Amino acid sequence: MPSLRQSYTVTMPEEPPAAPFTLFSKDIRKKSSSISRSDFVSSFMGLLLNQAKNSKTTQGLVGLRNLGNTCFMNSILQCLSNTRELRDYCLQGTYRKDLNYSRSNTALMEEFAKLLQTIWTSSSNDVVSPSEFKTQIQKYAPRFVGYNQQDAQEFLRFLLDGLHNEVNRVTVRSKAVIEDLDYLPDEEKGKRMWKKYLEREDSRIVDLFVGQLRSSLTCSECNYCSTVFDPFWDLSLPISKKSYSEVSLLDCMRLFTKEDLLDGDEKPTCYRCKARRKCTKKFTIQKFPKILVLHLKRFSEARIRTSKLSTFVNFPLKDLDLREFALDNNIHAVYNLYAVSNHSGTTTGGHYTAYCKHPLSGEWYNFNDSRVTPVSSSQVRTCDAYLLFYELSSSASRV
């Protein structure tokens, strides 16, 4: 693998070096005779602690060079860079023990970790080039070859999938066996399906980002209810297309989980009737992930985007309570926002940026390619919000 110096180009601002400690300025030295030894030591230690604190809270405030329509990539990388546990996984080097050399290439995970290490060890106002990382992601997913504008959600899915594959703790996947588990209660069935999933897909990436969705089909003829449990990496939430200028995030969640009638060509086959029947379908969340990514469906379903919804979605910055969407309302499901990937402009000419909450200082920043600027929390909610990154609150342990 290339060295860190070979991998990333860092642009350093041309500024004269600052004096290491202002405590030793000429004026203070003149007055030093009037300062007691204990006061001097106390002031010196206080200055050291303050500088250490300030250096930590300015870490990670580094821009990423736009390589040519790569703002979608930069936006997602900054959101992931401010994902506390993923950042620590890379910065502390613990990912290395999980690298799965036996069944996959590991270059993507290694370059991603190097990029995060560079971001968090560079001086603020530096600009880092993610060119080596781009080389690896386009090897893993050739759709990102070149310099066309891409969808940030699709990029996130491919990236997380690639990282997961390279640190999957399962070195040899067992052959998938289809079992009939309909005789089990839903709670037990969900646990069994989750266990089977982890037997093949088990990584730190899964620990953080993957939840479990329950889909139920109820036959209108015999009332038989069949359930399916599937893992999810994010939830794509519809936005009401009515003439509302504003909706809430909970409105979008309710629209996603509301009962839908499947009729006509959509009629499924009832497990009990053994015939196609009109059914109702409903989603509930069986297992909430540590990191919940919510995708606001602003673009049309067509392969080529034809329209974009600019509806303002009012989302909370903290204490997002999702228990009403769980099968078990006693489950812990309260989230705090820490990053937003924004898309401004139209379907033919747009730009991605990111708002991220610094994991150490708690302050919000706007990451616009190479530019990083502070913003207030009141500026985070806009009509451009596209992907919302929430972290499960630490007030209770994860269920």
Side-chain angles (χ1 to χ4, degrees):
M1 295 299 298
S3 67
L4 188 61
R5 183 181 296 275
Q6 293 171 322
S7 298
Y8 302 102
T9 302
V10 181
T11 304
M12 301 294 291
E14 296 182 358
E15 296 180 0
F21 297 108
T22 56
L23 183 64
F24 297 117
S25 66
K26 185 176 181 181
D27 290 341
I28 290 182
R29 283 200 300 269
K30 287 180 180 179
K31 298 177 182 179
S32 61
S33 59
S34 63
I35 301 176
S36 70
R37 179 180 178 85
S38 61
D39 287 343
F40 181 86
V41 172
S42 178
S43 298
F44 182 74
M45 292 305 296
L47 183 61
L48 283 177
L49 291 172
N50 189 51
Q51 287 205 344
K53 180 181 178 181
N54 289 338
S55 65
K56 285 186 177 180
T57 56
T58 58
Q59 288 177 340
L61 303 180
V62 174
L64 295 174
R65 182 169 292 117
N66 191 317
L67 306 175
N69 287 325
T70 56
C71 56
F72 71 93
M73 179 179 76
N74 291 346
S75 172
I76 294 302
L77 287 173
Q78 295 289 13
C79 291
L80 294 180
S81 174
N82 286 278
T83 301
R84 185 194 305 268
E85 293 191 40
L86 180 61
R87 180 203 66 150
D88 293 346
Y89 183 60
C90 294
L91 265 57
Q92 294 170 5
T94 49
Y95 73 93
R96 293 191 188 95
K97 65 180 178 59
D98 294 331
L99 288 173
N100 197 335
Y101 296 104
S102 63
R103 57 179 296 272
S104 69
N105 185 5
T106 61
L108 179 61
M109 182 69 227
E110 292 183 88
E111 286 299 336
F112 176 77
K114 282 183 182 179
L115 179 57
L116 261 60
Q117 290 163 3
T118 304
I119 289 174
W120 284 89
T121 55
S122 298
S123 300
S124 60
N125 300 321
D126 285 355
V127 179
V128 173
S129 173
S131 57
E132 290 300 322
F133 167 80
K134 185 179 185 299
T135 298
Q136 296 306 324
I137 187 63
Q138 64 191 24
K139 284 181 181 179
Y140 178 77
R143 67 187 300 146
F144 299 113
V145 170
Y147 299 95
N148 294 325
Q149 182 65 280
Q150 302 278 356
D151 183 86
Q153 185 222 8
E154 292 181 357
F155 176 78
L156 175 64
R157 285 189 171 186
F158 275 98
L159 175 55
L160 291 181
D161 184 67
L163 298 178
H164 157 68
N165 283 331
E166 296 187 4
V167 292
N168 194 348
R169 300 174 185 120
V170 180
T171 55
V172 179
R173 284 190 176 107
S174 59
K175 185 176 180 180
V177 178
I178 299 176
E179 292 183 71
D180 181 5
L181 301 176
D182 280 345
Y183 66 94
L184 293 173
D186 276 356
E187 184 68 24
E188 182 61 28
K189 184 178 180 181
K191 289 179 180 179
R192 288 277 291 273
M193 293 301 294
W194 183 252
K195 183 175 181 293
K196 286 173 65 68
Y197 176 72
L198 292 182
E199 287 173 356
R200 295 173 55 83
E201 315 292 345
D202 184 16
S203 70
R204 186 63 180 143
I205 312 300
V206 168
D207 293 344
L208 294 176
F209 290 93
V210 180
Q212 188 182 43
L213 197 64
R214 173 185 179 269
S215 173
S216 64
L217 280 176
T218 304
C219 177
S220 61
E221 294 289 330
C222 69
N223 290 323
Y224 177 77
C225 180
S226 63
T227 55
V228 176
F229 295 85
D230 292 306
F232 69 87
W233 291 79
D234 59 38
L235 296 178
S236 291
L237 306 183
I239 302 172
S240 175
K241 292 180 176 61
K242 297 179 181 179
S243 58
Y244 299 134
S245 59
E246 177 179 335
V247 297
S248 73
L249 184 60
L250 290 180
D251 291 334
C252 298
M253 283 293 299
R254 291 176 186 126
L255 194 57
F256 173 75
T257 57
K258 77 176 183 67
E259 276 193 354
D260 282 331
L261 181 64
L262 302 181
D263 199 0
D265 293 339
E266 292 184 322
K267 285 193 295 189
T269 300
C270 174
Y271 179 83
R272 181 179 291 167
C273 297
K274 307 298 182 185
R276 294 185 66 194
R277 300 294 192 194
K278 183 167 61 176
C279 293
T280 55
K281 181 178 181 179
K282 182 173 176 60
F283 289 124
T284 51
I285 300 177
Q286 178 74 13
K287 187 179 185 66
F288 286 88
K290 175 73 173 177
I291 303 298
L292 177 64
V293 180
L294 299 177
H295 165 229
L296 302 178
K297 296 175 69 174
R298 294 197 176 277
F299 300 106
S300 63
E301 297 288 343
R303 181 62 182 168
I304 300 176
R305 294 174 182 165
T306 56
S307 63
K308 177 186 174 184
L309 290 171
S310 57
T311 307
F312 177 72
V313 178
N314 193 350
F315 51 87
L317 273 60
K318 60 180 181 179
D319 298 330
L320 171 65
D321 192 342
L322 298 178
R323 285 177 294 179
E324 69 174 274
F325 308 105
L327 190 63
D328 178 6
N329 290 338
N330 293 320
I331 197 170
H332 176 58
V334 179
Y335 286 86
N336 296 320
L337 186 78
Y338 70 90
V340 182
S341 176
N342 303 296
H343 181 275
S344 59
T346 66
T347 58
T348 56
H351 181 61
Y352 284 99
T353 60
Y355 290 135
C356 299
K357 185 178 181 181
H358 195 278
L360 300 179
S361 71
E363 300 296 323
W364 285 91
Y365 291 87
N366 177 27
F367 293 84
N368 185 354
D369 287 332
S370 59
R371 299 186 299 280
V372 181
T373 53
V375 294
S376 69
S377 58
S378 62
Q379 296 175 276
V380 172
R381 284 183 282 244
T382 71
C383 295
D384 295 332
Y386 185 49
L387 289 166
L388 307 176
F389 290 73
Y390 279 94
E391 182 178 23
L392 194 65
S393 70
S394 57
S395 58
S397 59
R398 183 184 176 193
V399 176

